[in-house]
Amino acid sequence: MQMRFDGCLGFPGGFIDAKDGSLEEGLNRELAEELGPGASACYVTENDFISSWVMESPRKIVGHFYAKRLSLGDLEQLEGGAVHAKDHGLEVMGLVRVPLYTLRDGFGGLPAFLCNNFIGSAKEQLLEALGCLGLMPQNKLEEAVRASQK
Amino acid sequence: MQMRFDGCLGFPGGFIDAKDGSLEEGLNRELAEELGPGASACYVTENDFISSWVMESPRKIVGHFYAKRLSLGDLEQLEGGAVHAKDHGLEVMGLVRVPLYTLRDGFGGLPAFLCNNFIGSAKEQLLEALGCLGLMPQNKLEEAVRASQK
């Protein structure tokens, strides 16, 4: 995920331009702007679509969420290039990995990460993606959410 | 600042080893481990000391906080090397810049950033450093803290 210009954690993405030929074309353009040269490793297609959501206020927005599994090598390439992205230091303040474990104290790791400040539906989308991509079993996700709410 | 392995935001640093000749030597060793090759740009001396604090529980800890102004070039060098640090992906999940402004909505930027989950005294230390280093005037810092508490 990324620390955004507004001080919240979120996913890379953005609004579709009139020039974009499709949702996916617009998303891949945004990924290149925000993630830099390594973004080609996470080129997104219709097959990576996960869910949509509607926001009524302060503006009417329809959002579409995509997620994709990367190899560790692709992730490292992405991280290495991110500081050279056009939007680095402007829209994007830095890239962070999400801890996919809970420490022995029952809170450190994913539960504590979920206590950060997320934009819009990003926290729910993170949990959805971790389930959909098979990165964490559903019962472990639910445990982490409960621990984060204590 | 950095996203830590435990899901909290904090500053690089760590415990002094028996082998470290001084507090600053231990800190510079930790900075090299956590920040990688660019850490030489923020080599810390006694002159960069800001404050100390004591924690009684769960363990007795005396902490010492240092802060230093970097040029944008040094910061970029630091960011570029951070993914090659020994602790990247282990103790450190990523490096983030802190937004030093408030957006027109009165919350986005520093106030929203302050609503993230910080380890120990890291939030108070951030505010202290921004004041001490002259990066933000005291009244602007106080405004941001008030906005973050709404």
Side-chain angles (χ1 to χ4, degrees):
Chain A
M1 297 187 76
Q2 61 192 22
M3 180 59 70
R4 297 156 41 101
F5 69 102
D6 60 6
C8 301
L9 288 170
F11 291 102
F15 290 102
I16 296 299
D17 277 353
K19 278 181 262 174
D20 295 323
S22 66
L23 290 175
E24 292 78 19
E25 193 181 313
L27 176 52
N28 285 309
R29 177 186 50 72
E30 285 282 350
L31 292 179
E33 288 173 12
E34 297 190 7
L35 298 176
S40 54
C42 59
Y43 187 83
V44 169
T45 71
E46 282 182 27
N47 295 331
D48 303 312
F49 171 76
I50 301 266
S51 62
S52 295
W53 51 270
V54 174
M55 189 170 75
E56 291 288 341
S57 114
R59 291 194 281 179
K60 280 199 181 183
I61 292 176
V62 182
H64 305 285
F65 182 57
Y66 295 72
K68 186 165 178 167
R69 280 188 82 127
L70 297 186
S71 68
L72 180 59
D74 283 342
L75 176 64
E76 286 170 346
Q77 195 189 325
L78 197 70
E79 290 176 323
V83 295
H84 306 295
K86 177 175 158 250
D87 288 345
H88 178 70
L90 301 168
E91 280 190 44
V92 185
M93 307 303 264
L95 221 58
V96 302
R97 298 190 189 187
V98 178
L100 298 185
Y101 47 76
T102 300
L103 299 178
R104 270 189 299 180
D105 66 3
F107 182 68
L110 185 56
F113 185 83
L114 295 175
C115 292
N116 283 297
N117 190 13
F118 293 84
I119 190 73
S121 314
K123 180 156 81 175
E124 292 69 28
Q125 289 169 332
L126 167 64
L127 295 168
E128 195 181 9
L130 293 177
C132 283
L133 298 178
L135 292 172
M136 262 182 97
Q138 204 57 38
N139 64 326
K140 290 284 172 197
L141 281 172
E142 285 162 17
E143 266 177 37
V145 170
R146 275 196 301 275
S148 76
Q149 290 164 342
K150 271 184 193 154
Chain B
M1 299 187 75
Q2 59 191 21
M3 180 59 69
R4 297 158 39 102
F5 70 101
D6 60 6
C8 301
L9 287 170
F11 290 102
F15 290 102
I16 297 298
D17 277 353
K19 279 181 258 172
D20 295 322
S22 67
L23 289 175
E24 292 78 18
E25 192 181 313
L27 177 52
N28 285 309
R29 176 186 50 73
E30 285 282 350
L31 292 179
E33 288 173 9
E34 297 190 6
L35 298 175
S40 54
C42 59
Y43 187 85
V44 170
T45 72
E46 281 181 26
N47 296 330
D48 304 311
F49 171 76
I50 301 265
S51 62
S52 295
W53 51 271
V54 174
M55 189 172 75
E56 291 287 343
S57 113
R59 291 195 281 179
K60 278 199 183 184
I61 292 176
V62 182
H64 305 285
F65 182 57
Y66 295 72
K68 185 166 180 169
R69 279 188 83 126
L70 298 187
S71 68
L72 181 58
D74 283 343
L75 176 64
E76 288 170 345
Q77 195 189 323
L78 198 69
E79 289 177 322
V83 295
H84 306 294
K86 174 174 159 249
D87 288 346
H88 177 70
L90 300 168
E91 279 190 44
V92 185
M93 308 301 267
L95 220 57
V96 302
R97 297 190 189 188
V98 178
L100 298 185
Y101 47 77
T102 300
L103 298 178
R104 271 190 298 178
D105 65 3
F107 182 68
L110 185 55
F113 185 84
L114 295 176
C115 293
N116 283 297
N117 190 13
F118 293 85
I119 190 74
S121 314
K123 180 156 80 174
E124 292 70 28
Q125 290 169 333
L126 167 64
L127 295 167
E128 194 181 12
L130 292 177
C132 284
L133 298 178
L135 292 172
M136 263 182 97
Q138 203 59 37
N139 64 326
K140 290 284 172 196
L141 280 173
E142 285 162 17
E143 266 176 40
V145 170
R146 275 196 302 275
S148 76
Q149 290 164 342
K150 270 182 193 158

